[in-house]
């Protein structure tokens, strides 16, 4: 192994406590906590307040709903931990049917960045909005990404880790990057 061998002496618990207290009560620490509070309100509380969430639906506390006014989740769904549902910037909606369940770390986006003008940095360009429609009884595997403009039919299964950039028919099993039809459940 290359590099220099060093000895690391762990700080005492009192040294850690002193560092924590100095950080909390510093200007940068206070600014961080206000920023963290704003992040929680915008990403967790506001989205849930504005979204239409059906009866019996379980939304994990770490699920993020952005632009919640354009998100509708049906009845008896399970939106798992670390899911991100990001509706469009202006018009793009996310509509989730009944009895849909997602694995951990699923991301659903109803918008995408424009890259049309090469004279303008992409971060400064506008967006494209397009609805995402997910039918009833759909299972979306962990780590999957559903992109703007996609419709997933009733009873479909999306394999873990898939990137869905095209419509998925009813009762299809789709997976991969990009997701392709693997087989039908019928």
């Amino acid at each position: 192994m290359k590099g220099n061998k060093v000895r690391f002496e762990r700080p005492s618990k009192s040294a850690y406590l002193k560092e924590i207290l100095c950080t909390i009560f510093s200007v940068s620490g206070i600014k961080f906590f206000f920023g963290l509070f704003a992040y929680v309100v915008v990403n967790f509380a506001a989205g849930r307040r504005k979204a239409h969430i059906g009866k019996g639906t379980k939304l994990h506390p770490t699920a993020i709903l952005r632009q919640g006014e354009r998100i509708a989740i049906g009845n008896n769904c399970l939106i798992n931990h670390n899911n991100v549902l990001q509706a469009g910037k202006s018009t793009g909606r996310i509509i989730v049917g009944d009895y849909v369940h997602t694995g951990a770390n699923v991301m659903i986006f109803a918008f995408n960045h424009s890259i049309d003008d090469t004279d303008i940095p992409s971060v400064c360009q506008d967006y494209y909005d397009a609805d995402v429609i997910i039918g009833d009884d759909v299972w979306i595997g962990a780590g999957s990404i559903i992109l703007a403009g996609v419709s997933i039919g009733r009873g479909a299964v999306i394999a873990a880790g898939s990137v869905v950039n095209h419509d998925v028919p009813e009762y299809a099993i789709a997976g991969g990057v990009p997701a392709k039809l693997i087989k039908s459940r019928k």
Side-chain angles (χ1 to χ4, degrees):
M1 177 184 289
K2 292 184 179 182
N4 298 324
K5 184 175 182 179
V6 296
R7 181 175 180 86
F8 176 70
E9 305 247 352
R10 296 200 180 277
S12 67
K13 288 181 182 178
S14 62
Y16 271 128
L17 181 59
K18 180 181 175 188
E19 185 64 30
I20 290 168
L21 292 173
C22 287
T23 301
I24 289 173
F25 295 108
S26 69
V27 172
S28 63
I30 292 168
K31 182 179 174 185
F32 170 80
F33 283 109
F34 276 112
L36 183 61
F37 176 75
Y39 177 84
V40 168
V41 168
V42 167
N43 289 293
F44 297 98
R48 291 167 202 270
R49 182 178 61 79
K50 294 177 181 178
H52 173 78
I53 300 171
K55 291 183 191 242
T57 288
K58 295 178 181 128
L59 206 59
H60 194 277
T62 60
I64 294 174
L65 306 180
R66 298 293 302 269
Q67 279 77 39
E69 64 276 10
R70 288 185 293 286
I71 297 174
I73 302 171
N75 299 319
N76 303 303
C77 295
L78 171 61
I79 306 301
N80 223 315
H81 63 276
N82 299 327
N83 279 209
V84 175
L85 281 72
Q86 170 79 56
K89 300 295 185 178
S90 180
T91 60
R93 302 170 300 153
I94 296 174
I95 300 171
V96 178
D98 298 332
Y99 296 98
V100 171
H101 58 121
T102 64
N105 304 312
V106 167
M107 294 186 282
I108 303 171
F109 300 103
F111 77 99
N112 206 341
H113 293 272
S114 171
I115 55 169
D116 298 333
D117 191 338
T118 56
D119 294 331
I120 301 172
S122 61
V123 72
C124 298
Q125 294 189 41
D126 291 331
Y127 299 91
Y128 287 107
D129 280 8
D131 294 346
V132 173
I133 311 292
I134 299 171
D136 296 340
D137 188 29
V138 170
W139 175 19
I140 302 173
S144 293
I145 300 170
I146 313 300
L147 297 177
V150 166
S151 180
I152 299 176
R154 171 193 232 17
V157 175
I158 307 301
S162 298
V163 176
V164 182
N165 61 357
H166 288 92
D167 291 351
V168 176
E170 288 189 352
Y171 300 103
I173 299 174
V177 179
K180 295 188 181 349
L181 180 64
I182 296 170
K183 68 179 189 175
S184 176
R185 292 180 58 204
K186 290 232 172 192

